[in-house]
């Protein structure tokens, strides 16, 4: 019951903060109109240089490295007799 009350109170506070009316300037103060500043540019910015990318040999090396790391983690968990991917190993 207390938990429900606290959740409802927190929800009410959050809603009151989001739905609260914004501050209104008094009648004596004039609100300045928004100002727009436009900067003139001589030339458009240069497009970014094309990335040569990763060739297929590098991609293969990265993939094999990832598989080796995953295998090392799973093997170390098995050696420490912890569950590997939610599978418990039975002693034979």
């Amino acid at each position: 019951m207390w938990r429900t009350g606290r959740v409802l109170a927190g929800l009410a506070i959050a809603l009151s903060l989001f739905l609260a009316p914004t501050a209104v300037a008094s009648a004596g103060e004039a609100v300045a109109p928004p100002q727009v500043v436009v900067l003139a540019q001589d030339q458009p910015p240069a497009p970014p240089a094309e990335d040569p990318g990763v060739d297929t040999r590098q991609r293969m090396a990265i993939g094999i490295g990832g598989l080796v790391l995953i295998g090392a983690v799973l093997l170390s968990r098995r050696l420490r007799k912890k569950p590997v991917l939610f599978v418990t190993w039975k002693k034979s």
Side-chain angles (χ1 to χ4, degrees), residues 7-74:
V7 169
L8 289 175
L11 185 60
I13 291 171
L15 286 176
S16 68
L17 291 175
F18 285 119
L19 301 177
T22 58
V24 179
S26 65
E29 297 177 18
V31 178
Q35 305 253 337
V36 177
V37 177
V38 177
L39 297 175
Q41 296 180 351
D42 293 339
Q43 301 175 17
E50 290 188 23
D51 188 19
V54 180
D55 64 344
T56 56
R57 292 186 64 160
Q58 280 183 317
R59 291 176 66 92
M60 184 68 73
I62 291 169
I64 291 172
L67 289 175
V68 168
L69 285 173
I70 291 170
V73 168
L74 295 177

